[in-house]
Amino acid sequence: MSTAASSIAFVSSDTADAKAALESLSARYGQCSVADAGVVVALGGDGFLLQTLRDTMGTGKKVYGMNRGTIGFLMNEYRYGGLTERIAAAVAETIRPLEMLAVTSEGETISALAINEVALWRQSYQTAKIRISVDEQIRLEELSCDGVMIATPAGSTAYNLSAHGPILPLDAPLLALTPVSPFRPRRWRGALLSNKATVRLDILEPEKRPVNAAADHTEVKAVTSVTVRESPTATATLLFDPNHSWNERILAEQFRY
């Protein structure tokens, strides 16, 4: 891809390193508005990159992240020079978010998109009890747990991995269904689902055992049911340096354990 410096918009998180990078890079390469940019360069950590992807989703803009945060698993290495050449040579990965449709105890229906995962977790000292259906067929009558999530390949290395869920290559047509501290059935490790699947999570005993849900950072309290599927329309595009692609990082991560 070819990208003129004038079509780049730089955005940063609030950390000192990210702000300093924003100042120096915009002084060298120029700065245009996000609305007019072909490429948005996100300076910060993975959380800020995901925020940038959400802000630009559906606009057709490509997001190139450079790490000015902590771990930066989704980010390219930060370098001051050669940025336009790096962007021109970058590999594009298009990802689809999840759509969450949550119904609350008051009967309100709330929808939200998630790039990483849709997660449910208990809000009292008692375990949550959740019935899991896939494509309108009940697969687990009752899961007693601290929580459960549906993760995208992009989100499989985040909360999903911390809960001992599987790492998914970015181009895998899969979703990870992963429990958090399952009590019954105790040895259930979750499931790999087609990215075409629709998952419904019904809360059992919602008044006694209240459960909250979140699509990334959009939280819904006291849900009674949550339906999750991959969005058929919304997309976001990440740019990676060819020598440090997402799939290479995914492969390397699996051999760290």
Side-chain angles (χ1 to χ4, degrees), residues 1-13:
M1 59 177 294
S2 60
T3 303
S6 59
S7 68
I8 299 175
F10 295 96
V11 295
S12 78
S13 67

Side-chain angles (χ1 to χ4, degrees), residues 24-183:
S24 60
L25 289 170
S26 58
R28 174 165 181 171
Y29 297 100
Q31 171 76 299
C32 73
S33 68
V34 172
D36 295 330
V39 173
V40 178
V41 175
L43 304 164
D46 288 341
F48 182 72
L49 178 65
L50 291 173
Q51 176 186 321
T52 304
L53 287 171
R54 283 190 291 272
D55 292 344
T56 59
M57 191 177 297
T59 65
K61 300 184 189 304
K62 297 175 175 62
V63 178
Y64 182 89
M66 285 203 291
N67 188 23
R68 292 284 83 188
T70 306
I71 298 174
F73 189 83
L74 296 172
M75 313 295 280
N76 297 294
E77 179 186 353
Y78 176 76
R79 293 202 300 271
Y80 177 70
L83 179 59
T84 55
E85 293 80 7
R86 290 175 70 186
I87 292 175
V91 177
E93 296 280 4
T94 298
I95 59 177
R96 290 189 180 276
L98 298 174
E99 291 181 347
M100 177 185 77
L101 195 66
V103 179
T104 71
S105 58
E106 297 181 350
E108 185 180 5
T109 300
I110 299 172
S111 61
L113 296 175
I115 293 173
N116 266 1
E117 75 278 318
V118 172
L120 282 67
W121 63 96
R122 65 184 175 96
Q123 286 301 296
S124 74
Y125 66 92
Q126 293 182 306
T127 59
K129 290 188 175 183
I130 301 171
R131 181 170 60 238
I132 301 176
S133 301
V134 179
D135 293 332
E136 300 184 345
Q137 182 175 351
I138 296 175
R139 292 294 182 179
L140 198 54
E141 284 282 359
E142 183 179 298
L143 171 65
S144 295
C145 59
D146 281 353
V148 66
M149 76 188 80
I150 299 100
T152 66
S156 68
T157 56
Y159 185 19
N160 173 74
L161 182 59
S162 296
H164 307 291
I167 297 175
L168 303 177
L170 194 62
D171 56 359
L174 298 170
L175 301 174
L177 175 61
T178 303
V180 180
S181 301
F183 181 66

Side-chain angles (χ1 to χ4, degrees), residues 176-252:
L177 175 61
T178 303
V180 180
S181 301
F183 181 66
R184 290 285 188 276
R186 189 180 299 274
R187 295 185 180 181
W188 188 62
R189 300 293 299 275
L192 290 176
L193 305 177
S194 165
N195 63 342
K196 304 303 181 186
T198 298
V199 182
R200 180 182 169 105
L201 306 164
D202 288 293
I203 311 309
L204 309 178
E205 305 176 37
E207 293 184 1
K208 181 181 179 182
R209 304 169 185 272
V211 170
N212 288 1
D216 287 348
H217 299 299
T218 302
E219 184 176 353
V220 182
K221 296 185 179 297
V223 297
T224 57
S225 71
V226 175
T227 302
V228 182
R229 67 168 185 167
E230 185 183 80
S231 172
T233 55
T235 60
T237 302
L238 276 169
L239 296 176
F240 294 104
D241 290 334
N243 62 347
H244 200 42
S245 71
W246 172 270
N247 282 333
E248 170 58 30
R249 273 177 267 189
I250 288 290
L251 186 61

